[in-house]
Amino acid sequence: MPYMPGAVPGQPDEDAVAQDAAEAEAAFSHEAVAPDATASYGTHPDQLVDFYAPRSGGGSLSGGPGGSNGAGGGSSAPARAPLVVVLHGGAWRAAYDRRHISPFAAFLAGRGFAVASVEYRRGPGGDGGVESGEAGRWPETFDDVAAAMDALPDLAAGVLPQADVGRTVVTGHSAGGHLALWASARHLLPADSPWRAAATPLRGVVALAPIADLVRAEELGVCSHASAQLLGGAGRFEERLPYADPVALLPTGVATTLVQGRTDIVVPPRVAESFADAAAKAGEPVRLVLLDGAGHFPLIDPVTEACARVAEEIARLARLA
């Protein structure tokens, strides 16, 4: 199912709309790629992680359904590869699950990474007051991302022994980019937050066209005001920002790269630029990579130059000492 959460207001011109539609169609033309193994981090049907073994390193998977899940054959100890945690986008809406990003996850595995693609609860849900098609669940969306990140080291050790969890990079696209930034900053959450955690030794976060500044996103009406819906509606938006907005959790001390298409009309560059400006003011400049000629979807389309650039940025952070 194509992920078309809605462009921002301002009436983008016909050429921009046509480009966006073509890029979306191309990105979602790829068949879903089955993982090598799937593991649960909770009891809800959406509390799952799909694992993709690094294709350049060989080795085999263990601990999946039915025992061994061969990904490359052979019984010798596999070479260990950086672990990339993938958080999918889709405006935190229930219609969009991890399947649409599975070709991207497989692409990263083909580049030699061990990959963990996380599913999480999306809207509608919560206290029953969220209408169908609205974004996110409060607090379940955040419950799940926090639980998945906490469980991943042990899950990866049991299911994907090729993964070097000491070289973990988190990436996410669009709404998943927001969650990737948030997950890397949990050590800065308010003291009363149930999701607060000790600083995680991540190598970095690569956020792709992220909804990185919830206030700026709401000003622009990004994804039909999905950010306000995620936080439970306009009446709860301000009070919940300190617990959910990446801009409120700066500086993080985690190496951060934002990759953004210059022609993106779904989550426009102004959102990433706002986060980068806030980070600089907090004394922590982030790397902002603006890609000419690219919109929202080429960043996760395995056949594009933009997607290859994303892999390069992930590799750069994975190599950091």
Side-chain angles (χ1 to χ4, degrees):
M1 177 190 307
Y3 157 34
M4 296 294 290
V8 300
Q11 298 299 319
D13 62 42
E14 292 183 3
D15 289 344
V17 172
Q19 176 185 334
D20 179 68
E23 289 174 342
E25 182 178 4
F28 291 99
S29 68
H30 307 291
E31 293 290 333
V33 180
D36 296 301
T38 299
S40 300
Y41 63 88
T43 59
H44 191 276
D46 282 336
Q47 292 175 323
L48 299 171
V49 182
D50 287 341
F51 289 94
Y52 297 80
R55 292 307 191 240
S56 62
S60 63
L61 287 165
S62 61
S68 176
N69 290 271
S75 59
S76 60
R80 287 163 64 79
L83 177 65
V84 180
V85 180
V86 175
L87 293 161
H88 71 80
W92 310 285
R93 293 190 168 107
Y96 310 108
D97 63 20
R98 70 194 186 283
R99 287 175 295 180
H100 80 265
I101 209 168
S102 63
F104 173 72
F107 165 80
L108 293 177
R111 287 294 188 105
F113 298 107
V115 180
S117 182
V118 176
E119 191 57 275
Y120 53 90
R121 283 173 285 182
R122 306 161 314 283
D127 61 7
V130 181
E131 297 178 0
S132 177
E134 291 199 358
R137 298 194 190 190
W138 183 280
E140 290 93 337
T141 297
F142 296 93
D143 287 343
D144 287 359
V145 173
M149 295 300 297
D150 292 342
L152 268 171
D154 288 339
L155 289 179
V159 176
L160 193 63
Q162 299 98 318
D164 182 355
V165 298
R167 290 188 291 159
T168 297
V169 175
V170 183
T171 191
H173 178 241
S174 196
H178 159 266
L179 293 173
L181 293 168
W182 179 84
S184 70
R186 289 171 56 209
H187 56 291
L188 297 172
L189 286 167
D192 63 343
S193 170
W195 309 306
R196 185 178 171 95
T200 305
L202 297 174
R203 285 293 174 92
V205 55
V206 179
L208 314 177
I211 306 179
D213 181 333
L214 299 187
V215 173
R216 187 68 172 129
E218 279 304 288
E219 291 172 351
L220 295 170
V222 167
C223 297
S224 301
H225 294 282
S227 298
Q229 295 166 25
L230 172 70
L231 271 56
R236 310 301 298 271
F237 186 70
E238 292 291 338
E239 70 178 270
R240 288 176 171 172
L241 279 174
Y243 301 88
D245 192 355
V247 167
L249 303 173
L250 290 167
T252 66
V254 177
T256 299
T257 297
L258 311 179
V259 183
Q260 176 73 50
R262 288 189 185 273
T263 60
D264 192 335
I265 63 170
V266 178
V267 183
R270 283 172 286 176
V271 179
E273 290 166 351
S274 181
F275 178 88
D277 290 344
K281 291 176 182 176
E284 186 179 67
V286 303
R287 180 176 170 88
L288 175 57
V289 178
L290 294 169
L291 301 180
D292 292 334
H296 194 65
F297 299 100
L299 305 181
I300 58 167
D301 185 342
V303 302
T304 66
E305 293 182 6
C307 195
R309 180 61 183 274
V310 167
E312 292 171 3
E313 294 298 329
I314 293 172
R316 187 182 66 84
L317 292 188
R319 289 192 294 265
L320 293 178

